[in-house]
Short mmCIF file of all heavy atoms in Angstrom, two decimals:
data_model
loop_
_atom_site.label_atom_id
_atom_site.label_comp_id
_atom_site.label_asym_id
_atom_site.label_seq_id
_atom_site.Cartn_x
_atom_site.Cartn_y
_atom_site.Cartn_z
N HIS A 6 9.56 9.24 0.56
CA HIS A 6 10.06 10.03 1.68
C HIS A 6 10.11 9.24 2.99
O HIS A 6 10.87 9.53 3.88
CB HIS A 6 9.34 11.42 1.78
CG HIS A 6 8.15 11.35 2.71
ND1 HIS A 6 6.86 11.16 2.20
CD2 HIS A 6 7.99 11.43 4.02
CE1 HIS A 6 6.04 11.19 3.25
NE2 HIS A 6 6.71 11.32 4.34
N VAL A 27 5.96 8.83 19.90
CA VAL A 27 4.63 9.46 20.01
C VAL A 27 3.63 8.38 19.44
O VAL A 27 3.78 7.94 18.29
CB VAL A 27 4.60 10.72 19.22
CG1 VAL A 27 3.18 11.42 19.41
CG2 VAL A 27 5.68 11.68 19.66
N ASN A 54 -0.52 10.67 22.53
CA ASN A 54 -1.02 11.96 22.12
C ASN A 54 -2.44 11.96 21.64
O ASN A 54 -3.02 10.91 21.48
CB ASN A 54 -0.05 12.42 21.01
CG ASN A 54 -0.23 13.90 20.64
OD1 ASN A 54 -0.46 14.75 21.49
ND2 ASN A 54 -0.22 14.24 19.41
N LYS A 55 -2.94 13.16 21.37
CA LYS A 55 -4.38 13.42 20.96
C LYS A 55 -5.33 12.72 21.90
O LYS A 55 -6.35 12.18 21.59
CB LYS A 55 -4.62 12.78 19.47
CG LYS A 55 -3.62 13.38 18.47
CD LYS A 55 -4.05 13.24 17.08
CE LYS A 55 -3.02 13.78 16.08
NZ LYS A 55 -3.42 13.78 14.65
N SER A 56 -5.02 12.75 23.24
CA SER A 56 -5.81 12.13 24.28
C SER A 56 -7.15 12.98 24.42
O SER A 56 -8.03 12.50 25.17
CB SER A 56 -5.11 12.02 25.53
OG SER A 56 -4.74 13.29 26.04
N ASP A 57 -7.27 14.09 23.77
CA ASP A 57 -8.58 14.84 23.82
C ASP A 57 -9.53 14.13 22.82
O ASP A 57 -10.69 14.45 22.86
CB ASP A 57 -8.31 16.36 23.39
CG ASP A 57 -7.56 16.43 22.06
OD1 ASP A 57 -6.58 15.75 21.81
OD2 ASP A 57 -8.02 17.24 21.22
N LEU A 58 -9.02 13.21 21.95
CA LEU A 58 -9.88 12.54 21.02
C LEU A 58 -10.18 11.12 21.37
O LEU A 58 -10.97 10.50 20.68
CB LEU A 58 -9.27 12.62 19.65
CG LEU A 58 -8.82 13.99 19.07
CD1 LEU A 58 -8.24 13.82 17.66
CD2 LEU A 58 -9.98 14.95 19.04
N HIS A 80 -0.86 13.16 26.68
CA HIS A 80 -0.86 14.55 26.19
C HIS A 80 -1.95 14.83 25.22
O HIS A 80 -2.44 13.98 24.56
CB HIS A 80 0.52 14.66 25.46
CG HIS A 80 0.77 16.04 24.90
ND1 HIS A 80 0.47 16.46 23.60
CD2 HIS A 80 1.22 17.14 25.55
CE1 HIS A 80 0.72 17.72 23.42
NE2 HIS A 80 1.24 18.17 24.56
N SER A 81 -2.33 16.12 25.22
CA SER A 81 -3.30 16.55 24.19
C SER A 81 -2.98 18.00 23.88
O SER A 81 -2.12 18.58 24.55
CB SER A 81 -4.70 16.45 24.74
OG SER A 81 -4.99 17.58 25.58
N LYS A 82 -3.82 18.54 22.94
CA LYS A 82 -3.51 19.97 22.66
C LYS A 82 -3.81 20.84 23.86
O LYS A 82 -3.45 22.00 23.82
CB LYS A 82 -4.28 20.34 21.41
CG LYS A 82 -5.76 20.23 21.46
CD LYS A 82 -6.44 20.66 20.22
CE LYS A 82 -7.96 20.60 20.25
NZ LYS A 82 -8.61 20.85 18.97
N HIS A 83 -4.49 20.40 24.80
CA HIS A 83 -4.87 21.25 26.02
C HIS A 83 -3.74 21.16 27.11
O HIS A 83 -3.84 21.93 28.08
CB HIS A 83 -6.18 20.79 26.64
CG HIS A 83 -7.28 20.75 25.59
ND1 HIS A 83 -7.65 21.91 24.89
CD2 HIS A 83 -8.09 19.73 25.17
CE1 HIS A 83 -8.65 21.53 24.03
NE2 HIS A 83 -8.92 20.25 24.20
N GLY A 107 7.57 8.51 15.28
CA GLY A 107 6.25 7.93 15.30
C GLY A 107 5.73 7.83 13.88
O GLY A 107 6.35 8.25 12.90
N VAL A 108 4.55 7.21 13.79
CA VAL A 108 3.96 7.15 12.44
C VAL A 108 3.51 8.55 11.91
O VAL A 108 3.42 9.47 12.72
CB VAL A 108 2.72 6.15 12.46
CG1 VAL A 108 3.26 4.72 12.76
CG2 VAL A 108 1.67 6.54 13.45
N PRO A 109 3.16 8.66 10.66
CA PRO A 109 2.80 9.96 10.12
C PRO A 109 1.58 10.55 10.83
O PRO A 109 0.66 9.83 11.18
CB PRO A 109 2.44 9.63 8.66
CG PRO A 109 3.24 8.47 8.34
CD PRO A 109 3.28 7.64 9.57
N ASN A 110 1.65 11.84 10.99
CA ASN A 110 0.46 12.69 11.44
C ASN A 110 0.09 12.46 12.95
O ASN A 110 -1.01 12.86 13.36
CB ASN A 110 -0.76 12.39 10.52
CG ASN A 110 -1.70 13.53 10.48
OD1 ASN A 110 -1.30 14.73 10.50
ND2 ASN A 110 -2.98 13.30 10.48
N VAL A 111 0.95 11.75 13.71
CA VAL A 111 0.54 11.41 15.06
C VAL A 111 0.75 12.67 15.97
O VAL A 111 0.22 12.62 17.14
CB VAL A 111 1.39 10.18 15.49
CG1 VAL A 111 2.88 10.55 15.78
CG2 VAL A 111 0.79 9.48 16.62
N GLY A 112 1.45 13.68 15.53
CA GLY A 112 1.62 14.88 16.35
C GLY A 112 3.09 15.20 16.77
O GLY A 112 3.24 15.99 17.72
N LYS A 113 4.09 14.57 16.09
CA LYS A 113 5.37 14.76 16.55
C LYS A 113 5.85 16.22 16.53
O LYS A 113 6.40 16.77 17.46
CB LYS A 113 6.33 13.95 15.61
CG LYS A 113 6.06 12.49 15.59
CD LYS A 113 6.92 11.75 14.55
CE LYS A 113 6.54 12.06 13.15
NZ LYS A 113 5.14 11.71 12.68
N SER A 114 5.64 16.90 15.40
CA SER A 114 6.06 18.26 15.22
C SER A 114 5.26 19.22 16.14
O SER A 114 5.90 20.17 16.70
CB SER A 114 5.87 18.71 13.73
OG SER A 114 6.63 17.86 12.87
N THR A 115 4.00 18.91 16.37
CA THR A 115 3.25 19.76 17.28
C THR A 115 3.84 19.71 18.68
O THR A 115 3.98 20.67 19.39
CB THR A 115 1.75 19.19 17.35
OG1 THR A 115 1.30 19.24 16.03
CG2 THR A 115 0.88 20.05 18.25
N ILE A 116 4.24 18.51 19.06
CA ILE A 116 4.91 18.33 20.45
C ILE A 116 6.17 19.05 20.51
O ILE A 116 6.51 19.72 21.54
CB ILE A 116 5.01 16.80 20.70
CG1 ILE A 116 3.58 16.28 21.04
CG2 ILE A 116 6.02 16.48 21.83
CD1 ILE A 116 3.54 14.76 21.14
N GLN A 127 7.37 22.61 10.97
CA GLN A 127 6.11 22.67 10.29
C GLN A 127 5.16 21.57 10.80
O GLN A 127 5.60 20.39 11.04
CB GLN A 127 6.34 22.48 8.82
CG GLN A 127 5.32 23.09 7.95
CD GLN A 127 5.51 22.72 6.41
OE1 GLN A 127 6.61 22.36 6.07
NE2 GLN A 127 4.43 22.83 5.67
N THR A 128 3.89 21.93 10.86
CA THR A 128 2.87 20.92 11.23
C THR A 128 1.70 21.01 10.20
O THR A 128 1.67 21.94 9.48
CB THR A 128 2.30 21.18 12.64
OG1 THR A 128 1.59 22.47 12.59
CG2 THR A 128 3.32 21.18 13.75
N GLY A 129 0.89 20.04 10.19
CA GLY A 129 -0.28 20.04 9.26
C GLY A 129 -1.17 18.85 9.45
O GLY A 129 -0.83 17.94 10.04
N ALA A 130 -2.40 19.07 8.86
CA ALA A 130 -3.46 18.08 9.03
C ALA A 130 -3.39 16.80 8.21
O ALA A 130 -4.15 15.95 8.33
CB ALA A 130 -4.85 18.76 8.94
N GLN A 131 -2.38 16.69 7.26
CA GLN A 131 -2.23 15.48 6.54
C GLN A 131 -0.99 14.76 6.93
O GLN A 131 -0.04 15.41 7.40
CB GLN A 131 -2.10 15.74 5.02
CG GLN A 131 -3.15 16.63 4.47
CD GLN A 131 -2.78 18.08 4.51
OE1 GLN A 131 -1.53 18.37 4.40
NE2 GLN A 131 -3.71 18.93 4.59
N PRO A 132 -0.95 13.46 6.73
CA PRO A 132 0.35 12.78 7.03
C PRO A 132 1.35 13.14 5.95
O PRO A 132 1.03 13.47 4.84
CB PRO A 132 -0.02 11.23 6.81
CG PRO A 132 -1.34 11.25 6.08
CD PRO A 132 -1.98 12.50 6.29
N GLY A 133 2.68 13.19 6.38
CA GLY A 133 3.76 13.44 5.36
C GLY A 133 4.10 14.89 5.35
O GLY A 133 4.66 15.36 4.36
N ILE A 134 3.88 15.68 6.46
CA ILE A 134 4.20 17.04 6.46
C ILE A 134 5.74 17.25 6.60
O ILE A 134 6.36 17.95 5.88
CB ILE A 134 3.47 17.85 7.58
CG1 ILE A 134 1.94 17.82 7.29
CG2 ILE A 134 3.98 19.27 7.76
CD1 ILE A 134 1.52 18.73 6.13
N THR A 135 6.23 16.61 7.63
CA THR A 135 7.74 16.67 7.88
C THR A 135 8.45 15.88 6.87
O THR A 135 8.17 14.68 6.74
CB THR A 135 8.11 16.28 9.33
OG1 THR A 135 7.33 17.03 10.20
CG2 THR A 135 9.55 16.44 9.61
N ARG A 136 9.37 16.43 6.15
CA ARG A 136 10.09 15.74 5.07
C ARG A 136 11.51 15.34 5.26
O ARG A 136 12.08 14.62 4.50
CB ARG A 136 9.96 16.53 3.71
CG ARG A 136 8.52 16.49 3.14
CD ARG A 136 8.14 15.07 2.89
NE ARG A 136 6.73 14.93 2.59
CZ ARG A 136 6.25 14.54 1.37
NH1 ARG A 136 7.02 14.30 0.41
NH2 ARG A 136 4.92 14.40 1.29
N ASP A 150 13.31 16.50 15.14
CA ASP A 150 12.01 16.12 14.52
C ASP A 150 12.27 15.18 13.35
O ASP A 150 13.38 15.30 12.76
CB ASP A 150 11.36 17.43 13.97
CG ASP A 150 9.88 17.17 13.62
OD1 ASP A 150 9.35 16.14 13.97
OD2 ASP A 150 9.24 18.08 13.06
N SER A 151 11.41 14.28 13.14
CA SER A 151 11.63 13.34 12.03
C SER A 151 10.31 13.09 11.34
O SER A 151 9.24 13.17 11.90
CB SER A 151 12.19 11.99 12.54
OG SER A 151 11.27 11.37 13.39
N PRO A 152 10.41 12.74 10.02
CA PRO A 152 9.16 12.46 9.26
C PRO A 152 8.55 11.22 9.84
O PRO A 152 9.23 10.31 10.37
CB PRO A 152 9.72 12.18 7.86
CG PRO A 152 11.11 12.75 7.83
CD PRO A 152 11.63 12.63 9.24
N GLY A 153 7.26 10.98 9.67
CA GLY A 153 6.52 9.83 10.11
C GLY A 153 7.13 8.60 9.33
O GLY A 153 7.40 8.67 8.18
N ILE A 154 7.22 7.53 10.07
CA ILE A 154 7.67 6.22 9.38
C ILE A 154 6.62 5.14 9.61
O ILE A 154 5.82 5.19 10.55
CB ILE A 154 9.09 5.84 9.85
CG1 ILE A 154 9.18 5.61 11.39
CG2 ILE A 154 10.11 6.87 9.46
CD1 ILE A 154 10.54 5.04 11.83
N GLU A 236 -10.29 13.35 12.82
CA GLU A 236 -10.04 14.62 13.53
C GLU A 236 -11.00 14.77 14.82
O GLU A 236 -10.98 15.80 15.44
CB GLU A 236 -10.26 15.77 12.55
CG GLU A 236 -9.10 15.82 11.52
CD GLU A 236 -9.35 16.79 10.39
OE1 GLU A 236 -10.55 17.35 10.30
OE2 GLU A 236 -8.40 17.02 9.65
N1 GTP B 1 -7.01 17.16 18.49
C1 GTP B 1 -5.67 17.13 18.53
N2 GTP B 1 -5.02 17.32 17.37
C2 GTP B 1 -3.64 17.29 17.41
C3 GTP B 1 -2.90 17.00 18.63
N3 GTP B 1 -1.62 17.01 18.30
C4 GTP B 1 -1.54 17.21 17.02
N4 GTP B 1 -2.71 17.44 16.42
C5 GTP B 1 -3.00 17.71 15.01
O1 GTP B 1 -2.57 16.56 14.26
C6 GTP B 1 -2.09 17.04 12.99
C7 GTP B 1 -0.74 16.46 12.76
O2 GTP B 1 0.26 17.13 13.56
P1 GTP B 1 1.78 17.17 13.23
O3 GTP B 1 2.49 17.70 14.41
O4 GTP B 1 2.08 17.87 11.93
O5 GTP B 1 2.11 15.61 13.03
P2 GTP B 1 3.46 14.87 12.70
O6 GTP B 1 3.49 13.66 13.47
O7 GTP B 1 4.65 15.83 12.83
O8 GTP B 1 3.14 14.53 11.14
P3 GTP B 1 4.18 14.19 9.91
O9 GTP B 1 5.32 15.18 9.93
O10 GTP B 1 3.27 14.37 8.74
O11 GTP B 1 4.61 12.78 10.13
C8 GTP B 1 -2.17 18.53 13.03
O12 GTP B 1 -3.36 18.95 12.34
C9 GTP B 1 -2.18 18.87 14.49
O13 GTP B 1 -2.89 20.12 14.75
C10 GTP B 1 -3.72 16.79 19.78
O14 GTP B 1 -3.18 16.54 20.94
N5 GTP B 1 -5.06 16.82 19.70
#
Side-chain angles (χ1 to χ4, degrees):
H6 91 264
V27 184
N54 194 36
K55 304 198 184 184
S56 62
D57 54 315
L58 305 182
H80 182 265
S81 83
K82 61 180 182 186
H83 307 300
V108 294
N110 208 37
V111 75
K113 301 173 291 298
S114 301
T115 303
I116 285 170
Q127 206 188 339
T128 61
Q131 308 90 30
I134 295 288
T135 303
R136 287 299 168 116
D150 193 9
S151 66
I154 59 175
E236 290 170 349

